[in-house]
Amino acid sequence: NEQAANGKSTGSSLGPPGRYVPDEQLRFEPTNERHQPVAGTPAVAAHSSSEIGKHIRESDLTRSGAGEENLDCRSENCEKEIKEAAALDPEEISQRLNVDLRHGLHSTEVSSRLARDGPNKLEGAPGVLVIAMALSYGIKDFIEGGVINAVIVLNVVIGLVQDYRAEKTMESLLDLSAPTATVIRNHGRIETVKAETLVVGDIVQLAAGRVVPADLRLFDGINLETDEALLTGESLPVAKSPFITLSNPDLTVGDRINIAYSSSTVTKGRGTGIVVSTGMRTELGRIATLLRNKEGAHVRSSNIFARALTTFWKGTKSILGLTGTPLQVKLSKFALILFALAVLLAIIVFSASKFNVSNEVLIYGICVAVAIIPESLIAVLTITLAAGTKAMVKGHVLVRKMEALEAVGGVTNICSDKTGTLTQGKMIARKMWIPGFGTLSVSGTNNHLDPTNGVIMMADTKADIDLVKTSPEMMRFLKNIALCNVSTVYQRQDNTQSSQQTSHVPNNSTWAATGDPTEISLQVLAMRFHSGKDSLLLNENLSLLAEHQFDSTVKKMSVVYEDQRSQTVEVFLKGAGEVVLPSLAISDQEKDQINLRIQEMAGQGLRVLCLAYKILSDEEKPFVLKRESMETGLHFLGLVGLYDPPRLETFDAVKKCQIAGIKVHMLTGDHISTATAIAREVGILRPDLPCSHVSTSIMSAGQFDKLSNAEIDEMEALPLVIARCSPSTKVQMLEALHRRKAFGVMTGDGVNDSPALKRAHVGIAMGLNGSDVAKDAADMVLTDDNFASIVNAVEEGRRLFDNIQKFLMHLLISNISQVILLLIGLAFQDGDGNSVFPLSPLEILWVNMITSSFLAIGLGLEEAQPDIMLRRPHDLRVGVFTKELIIDKMIYGVFMGSLCLISFVAVVYGAGSANLGSDCNHGYNDSCESVFRARATVFSVLTFLLLITAWEVKHFSRSLFNMDRTGHTGPFAIFHTVWYNRFLFWAVIAGFSITFPVVYLPTVNTLVFKHMGISWEWGI
């Protein structure tokens, strides 16, 4: 790249020549070298930023101070704004936007700009009962039609209210899982904020796996590449050059290599940029505006018949409930089957009258059809799923895809990372071994971020830090762990100062850090010796020439630094022992000794990193960007052992999974000895492991990846621990689970974990340390990165599955009992030869939509049963309609229908002397007393049976009197059982209480419900 005039550094053969100086104001040191433009790359500015300013109006970029207005993206100025930012020097932009590139904006200024410009987001573009109601009006039964009409309105209102609540719940979940951005604000503090709160002038940090939250003018970075396929269609990532200033502002989107565009994904490297456009002013917003403006013309030009057919089909699917989660679709299809069955039953009723369909026969047919359809099924399911998502949030799990909410309860295997999930993610550098110097250890720490906390020991005595630093080997060791590191450790205080100079800050401040836990622990270790990264860069006059980032496939990282005083260039490397040892220029005997030391430290549960370095010769210096050249022929520096303590709740969570029939697998990038030690500590590897499983329970990724599918399938059990795991190993593990008909959860946090997260039945991303790409690929996101939260999600999924079965059971028992009653009731004929229905249509609607609906909602809100994690996982292939549910609903339904039938017969053929009256289906007359009293009896019996059944189906295999064997036992245990679910309790009480007004309320009982008050019949 060509260098800008007036001394501003823009690039060199050894990397960015502009050296970042940690001073109160950001500045770039000039270099004296000049280079010619590289063919095929955008030209770089050959004039000063002041000259650029002559051709560009300040207000065209953004507001630089009070009174300046931002550009209106409805005009062409929006695109011009981004182009001009690419042609401006970062310092010029910072002056125009009135922001310090090192310290960022203050919260007060952010609030002011947010209120003026708005949020950083894109704007949006500008049944059966009805048939019954119509037929009732058609035969001039205005009372019945009016009541059904009122029921429909009530059902619609309840549905709208519940849908609104469910929508608000989903909005709140989306708000919780909204994209975030890492910004520098408030005197240099690094903060994580919601992306929509970004404003022009914010300083944003980017890292691999993050989604760019706004259009940024990059001014710092290394190895930065972004995926801009969304904007350009380019399939390959675009390499960014933050240190250049373009001379031609009219370059295309893909050629503005110092701009990072909103919604593009960082595929590699890291960088820092200043926000130049937000929301609809971004490049993506400009495209969205164009699409919205052209959408009308496009639609009008399309085929009107095809468009109408598509709209009709989408509307039909929505009305029929064939959109949504798999369970919702399955239940909607089930409802359609019931509708077809209702039509069939109506035909049976009509055939009983030899298809002489009078008004009475028509109403009876409708009555039977209505009886078999659970009208409130979908509404109750929606309420239950909404309650499930809320419960998940309380358990630190965000549900991104509702399918996962239904599936997580049936998982049989959980494949989990170790660091930060099974463990606390609070790594501490506990042990160091430096050849020629000795072994150092850190003890007595209770704050893993505080470099002043704890004691450094050498042998059994406290180490003298000043004496230790006199060792050349030790100093080079410290330079390695501090410089081969991209994390930051700092103290939270108002007058934030250099975050890594521990000798100049008080001990009473709160320590904080950003970055990977491994690198944070190494940075803290270096700071214990007053050799943090900032201190070294400032005091030793070092400049970064190249950085080869850590990658899960290569498992190592290296950096190249130049000492400006001695002109020496050094390479520092850290990584896993097995990948670093082959790169060392030492004998095999020495490698074996180092490997033994690695095994020893790993056996203590430490994550062991191998450190190495080399000084480049003049011949090697031009090749600092070639990773292979920099990472060979190295000299061994030493080993560092990191300890990440298991979470206190992990052992119990793993044990709970094992009791519940769920196998827990640890897939980690750690050394096999480290992984084994931690797996034993958290209970994944138990002492009672079957002998046949021992040989395959612990494997390295290399061993597992070499196995063919047939060899893996022949294994009696899949490995419980896989060490040095790569993303491809995770995918292979999931494939093996699929072939065994198992249902697996897979966790992940990195960009490369996306294929595994998508392939899993339930992919779970880490919310704290996970990349945006991983979160986007996942079905769920953990807000606390805790393994115990996964177990809580499984338990909640099981509770949800149980509750769906419970209210399905209750609704279908009611429908089956009514169908049996009404079909057999065809035999009850009056003197005119008309069948007398034991229940009137409105009695059926009342039972289905008033009594049963609230009971079903209460069952959907049931707490998890005490034994819910003592059972094996349910089979997701079978779904909710298990054999047990089908048998139970038929038995309960038949018995309930039979009892109602017996009640009708007892009243009509007992005290009523078999008098079925005349025209009793239409209204009351003197001949209908026994029929009306029988209907009231049947209605009361059915209502009370449903109320009792609601409590009885709380558990499928235990009695109401012995439901909680662990907590409440004895003769009074039933009171706790019926009371703890308050909604269900009061639904039962309300259902019981309202039965009496329905039966006894004058006029309403005979005119609307077609029954009358009863006396001795209560004994039935």
Side-chain angles (χ1 to χ4, degrees):
N1 295 321
E2 188 178 5
Q3 184 176 346
N6 85 332
K8 291 298 178 182
S9 171
T10 60
S12 77
S13 61
L14 298 180
R19 182 171 65 85
Y20 181 83
V21 181
D23 199 351
E24 285 301 310
Q25 297 292 329
L26 178 75
R27 70 176 187 273
F28 291 89
E29 287 192 351
T31 61
N32 297 319
E33 299 181 22
R34 253 187 102 79
H35 302 279
Q36 297 299 319
V38 179
T41 61
V44 181
H47 44 74
S48 67
S49 59
S50 61
E51 293 174 329
I52 298 174
K54 294 178 182 178
H55 304 285
I56 302 173
R57 294 179 294 110
E58 288 190 10
S59 60
D60 283 346
L61 183 62
T62 58
R63 314 139 333 275
S64 63
E68 289 194 32
E69 298 296 330
N70 203 352
L71 292 178
D72 184 355
C73 204
R74 288 171 294 183
S75 68
E76 295 180 355
N77 286 341
C78 176
E79 183 180 12
K80 186 178 180 181
E81 170 185 281
I82 304 171
K83 291 180 178 179
E84 293 171 351
L88 285 175
D89 184 271
E91 289 182 346
E92 175 76 11
I93 296 176
S94 68
Q95 292 173 7
R96 294 191 177 194
L97 297 183
N98 194 23
V99 60
D100 187 294
L101 295 182
R102 177 176 175 79
H103 293 156
L105 296 172
H106 193 274
S107 295
T108 305
E109 178 64 17
V110 171
S111 300
S112 174
R113 298 188 184 191
L114 186 62
R116 182 170 52 205
D117 299 338
N120 174 36
K121 61 182 181 180
L122 299 183
E123 299 173 0
V128 174
L129 294 180
V130 176
I131 297 174
M133 177 187 69
L135 289 175
S136 296
Y137 282 132
I139 60 177
K140 298 182 180 181
D141 192 341
F142 296 106
I143 294 177
E144 192 163 275
V147 173
I148 296 177
N149 190 20
V151 171
I152 291 174
V153 172
L154 177 63
N155 192 37
V156 169
V157 170
I158 293 175
L160 288 175
V161 170
Q162 296 303 331
D163 283 345
Y164 173 77
R165 289 181 177 177
E167 185 69 22
K168 297 302 290 184
T169 298
M170 292 310 299
E171 286 180 5
S172 66
L173 293 180
L174 290 174
D175 187 55
L176 287 173
S177 60
T180 59
T182 302
V183 298
I184 299 176
R185 287 179 180 174
N186 301 315
H187 306 291
R189 288 186 179 179
I190 301 174
E191 303 176 4
T192 300
V193 300
K194 290 183 179 178
E196 68 175 31
T197 64
L198 288 181
V199 297
V200 172
D202 258 324
I203 308 301
V204 178
Q205 292 184 337
L206 301 176
R210 303 291 292 182
V211 174
V212 180
D215 284 354
L216 309 178
R217 167 59 163 97
L218 301 168
F219 62 83
D220 192 12
I222 191 162
N223 298 334
L224 184 63
E225 294 183 5
T226 63
D227 183 355
E228 297 177 353
L230 184 68
L231 292 171
T232 64
E234 178 62 44
S235 59
L236 297 177
V238 179
K240 296 296 180 180
S241 299
F243 301 99
I244 72 168
T245 300
L246 303 177
S247 61
N248 181 8
D250 294 323
L251 293 171
T252 61
V253 170
D255 290 332
R256 298 174 206 155
I257 55 177
N258 58 2
I259 299 289
Y261 295 102
S262 176
S263 296
S264 60
T265 303
V266 180
T267 59
K268 181 182 178 182
R270 53 189 173 88
T272 306
I274 183 171
V275 176
V276 294
S277 297
T278 61
M280 295 298 289
R281 299 179 180 89
T282 62
E283 188 71 28
L284 186 65
R286 187 180 69 85
I287 295 174
T289 302
L290 294 174
L291 289 174
R292 187 172 60 185
N293 292 338
K294 295 179 180 179
E295 187 179 40
H298 173 72
V299 170
R300 284 192 296 272
S301 64
S302 61
N303 187 297
I304 187 171
F305 297 104
R307 190 171 71 251
L309 183 62
T310 302
T311 303
F312 173 77
W313 174 240
K314 289 182 178 179
T316 302
K317 289 179 66 177
S318 179
I319 292 173
L320 296 179
L322 299 180
T323 58
T325 70
L327 179 60
Q328 288 174 320
V329 172
K330 181 180 289 187
L331 291 182
S332 295
K333 290 180 178 179
F334 176 68
L336 292 176
I337 293 174
L338 291 181
F339 177 78
L341 185 58
V343 174
L344 178 62
L345 292 176
I347 294 174
I348 293 174
V349 172
F350 300 154
S351 65
S353 63
K354 299 180 181 179
F355 292 96
N356 182 20
V357 185
S358 62
N359 290 350
E360 303 297 329
V361 174
L362 183 60
I363 286 293
Y364 199 99
I366 295 172
C367 186
V368 175
V370 169
I372 198 173
I373 297 177
E375 293 85 357
S376 58
L377 175 60
I378 303 302
V380 174
L381 177 64
T382 301
I383 296 170
T384 303
L385 291 177
T389 57
K390 287 183 178 180
M392 288 283 192
V393 172
K394 292 180 181 178
H396 306 289
V397 179
L398 294 179
V399 180
R400 298 189 68 255
K401 300 174 184 176
M402 293 298 288
E403 295 91 333
L405 186 64
E406 303 161 9
V408 71
V411 299
T412 58
N413 299 72
I414 298 178
C415 301
S416 174
D417 289 329
K418 178 186 74 68
T419 304
T421 307
L422 293 167
T423 60
Q424 298 179 21
K426 299 177 179 179
M427 286 193 175
I428 301 172
R430 180 161 287 184
K431 182 174 288 189
M432 299 156 280
W433 177 65
I434 303 96
F437 180 81
T439 301
L440 292 173
S441 62
V442 179
S443 61
T445 57
N446 51 33
N447 184 352
H448 69 292
L449 299 180
D450 186 355
T452 64
N453 180 256
V455 179
I456 301 173
M457 306 291 292
M458 187 169 184
D460 296 327
T461 60
K462 183 178 179 180
D464 185 336
I465 293 178
D466 294 331
L467 181 61
V468 168
K469 292 179 66 176
T470 61
S471 167
E473 294 87 356
M474 186 64 191
M475 284 307 301
R476 188 164 272 130
F477 180 94
L478 293 174
K479 286 177 68 175
N480 186 305
I481 62 175
L483 298 178
C484 191
N485 198 313
V486 295
S487 67
T488 57
V489 181
Y490 57 97
Q491 288 182 297
R492 296 184 183 276
Q493 49 188 7
D494 291 337
N495 55 341
T496 303
Q497 48 195 323
S498 183
S499 62
Q500 295 170 346
Q501 298 178 35
T502 62
S503 59
H504 303 294
V505 289
N507 293 331
N508 56 359
S509 300
T510 302
W511 287 89
T514 60
D516 180 78
T518 300
E519 297 201 327
I520 291 173
S521 66
L522 295 176
Q523 195 65 244
V524 171
L525 177 61
M527 294 168 66
R528 292 183 187 277
F529 296 89
H530 311 302
S531 298
K533 187 174 184 177
D534 279 359
S535 298
L536 293 175
L537 292 178
L538 187 62
N539 298 330
E540 300 195 14
N541 201 20
L542 301 173
S543 61
L544 176 65
L545 300 184
E547 176 183 304
H548 303 290
Q549 287 190 315
F550 174 84
D551 187 276
S552 57
T553 56
V554 297
K555 295 183 174 61
K556 57 185 175 181
M557 172 188 176
S558 62
V559 293
V560 184
Y561 275 88
E562 181 180 20
D563 189 326
Q564 300 288 344
R565 290 175 296 195
S566 64
Q567 297 299 308
T568 58
V569 179
E570 287 184 286
V571 178
F572 297 101
L573 178 142
K574 71 172 186 284
E578 62 268 25
V579 298
V580 175
L581 287 179
S583 304
L584 299 179
I586 58 177
S587 65
D588 291 340
Q589 184 178 2
E590 291 175 297
K591 291 180 181 179
D592 291 339
Q593 292 176 351
I594 295 172
N595 198 38
L596 287 175
R597 182 73 68 162
I598 292 175
Q599 297 280 359
E600 177 187 343
M601 294 174 67
Q604 299 170 11
L606 300 179
R607 185 177 199 175
V608 184
L609 294 179
C610 187
L611 310 181
Y613 84 103
K614 74 174 178 179
I615 299 176
L616 297 183
S617 62
D618 292 337
E619 292 78 14
E620 291 177 305
K621 289 180 181 180
F623 304 102
V624 295
L625 297 180
K626 293 185 177 181
R627 184 165 196 161
E628 297 79 6
S629 300
M630 295 299 100
E631 296 179 351
T632 56
L634 300 166
H635 305 291
F636 180 65
L637 266 179
L639 302 175
V640 58
L642 313 176
Y643 181 66
D644 186 11
R647 293 180 182 268
L648 298 177
E649 60 273 24
T650 298
F651 183 85
D652 290 336
V654 171
K655 185 176 182 181
K656 182 183 284 188
C657 286
Q658 292 167 344
I659 294 174
I662 301 172
K663 293 182 179 179
V664 181
H665 307 263
M666 178 197 291
L667 278 62
T668 177
D670 280 344
H671 189 277
I672 193 167
S673 298
T674 307
T676 301
I678 297 297
R680 295 190 192 281
E681 195 169 348
V682 299
I684 293 178
L685 294 174
R686 298 184 301 173
D688 60 347
L689 197 67
C691 296
S692 58
H693 297 179
V694 172
S695 60
T696 59
S697 61
I698 307 170
M699 298 181 71
S700 67
Q703 294 171 321
F704 187 75
D705 292 341
K706 289 179 181 178
L707 298 176
S708 65
N709 290 344
E711 290 173 325
I712 294 175
D713 295 340
E714 289 175 359
M715 297 169 60
E716 187 170 338
L718 292 174
L720 297 177
V721 176
I722 300 182
R724 297 303 190 204
C725 185
S726 65
S728 60
T729 308
K730 291 185 175 183
V731 174
Q732 187 167 347
M733 183 70 168
L734 286 171
E735 296 290 349
L737 289 173
H738 292 331
R739 293 194 299 273
R740 292 172 183 246
K741 308 300 181 184
F743 291 83
V745 165
M746 177 62 73
T747 67
D749 54 9
V751 178
N752 293 335
D753 290 330
S754 299
L757 292 173
K758 289 182 178 180
R759 190 72 183 89
H761 290 98
V762 180
I764 300 181
M766 302 297 108
L768 295 178
N769 296 314
S771 65
D772 291 340
V773 175
K775 294 175 187 176
D776 186 61
D779 304 302
M780 293 180 171
V781 178
L782 298 183
T783 59
D784 60 353
D785 293 5
N786 194 339
F787 178 81
S789 297
I790 302 177
V791 182
N792 292 337
V794 173
E795 185 171 353
E796 177 59 28
R798 290 191 175 193
R799 184 194 72 86
L800 184 68
F801 181 86
D802 279 1
N803 290 352
I804 291 174
Q805 282 196 315
K806 290 172 188 176
F807 72 67
L808 267 178
M809 169 88 81
H810 189 267
L811 292 174
L812 295 178
I813 286 173
S814 175
N815 295 133
I816 291 171
S817 63
Q818 294 171 41
V819 168
I820 289 175
L821 173 66
L822 294 174
L823 284 182
I824 298 179
L826 287 171
F828 302 134
Q829 296 184 344
D830 59 15
D832 300 327
N834 295 320
S835 296
V836 178
F837 40 75
L839 281 176
S840 68
L842 288 180
E843 285 178 321
I844 295 173
L845 281 178
W846 184 272
V847 169
N848 287 354
M849 301 196 65
I850 304 300
T851 306
S852 292
S853 292
F854 291 100
L855 296 175
I857 292 173
L859 289 170
L861 301 177
E862 270 285 293
E863 295 179 2
Q865 293 298 328
D867 64 344
I868 197 167
M869 293 298 284
L870 302 178
R871 301 176 296 198
R872 299 194 64 80
H874 56 264
D875 193 341
L876 289 172
R877 290 167 295 183
V878 175
V880 292
F881 292 102
T882 60
K883 182 179 180 180
E884 181 183 17
L885 184 141
I886 294 172
I887 293 174
D888 282 0
K889 74 177 182 181
M890 293 305 299
I891 293 176
Y892 276 98
V894 170
F895 270 98
M896 192 177 293
S898 301
L899 290 174
C900 292
L901 191 63
I902 292 171
S903 301
F904 186 84
V905 171
V907 175
V908 172
Y909 290 90
S913 303
N915 181 16
L916 294 173
S918 176
D919 198 24
C920 295
N921 289 342
H922 186 265
Y924 179 77
N925 57 61
D926 293 339
S927 66
C928 296
E929 180 177 356
S930 62
V931 173
F932 271 48
R933 294 175 73 93
R935 283 181 189 154
T937 305
V938 172
F939 173 77
S940 302
V941 168
L942 180 59
T943 299
F944 293 164
L945 286 175
L946 288 175
L947 296 177
I948 297 298
T949 304
W951 277 331
E952 186 60 35
V953 298
K954 284 160 71 78
H955 199 291
F956 281 7
S957 59
R958 290 184 182 173
S959 164
L960 185 63
F961 298 90
N962 189 28
M963 200 161 288
D964 186 0
R965 295 180 180 177
T966 58
H968 298 79
T969 56
F972 299 104
I974 187 175
F975 294 106
H976 170 75
T977 302
V978 301
W979 173 247
Y980 73 82
N981 186 341
R982 303 289 196 278
F983 188 98
L984 182 59
F985 176 83
W986 291 115
V988 171
I989 296 300
F992 176 80
S993 302
I994 206 170
T995 302
F996 297 97
V998 171
V999 172
Y1000 287 110
L1001 202 62
T1003 306
V1004 173
N1005 56 1
T1006 56
L1007 197 61
V1008 176
F1009 290 98
K1010 293 183 174 56
H1011 62 216
M1012 61 188 303
I1014 57 177
S1015 55
W1016 65 269
E1017 291 87 353
W1018 288 111
I1020 296 178

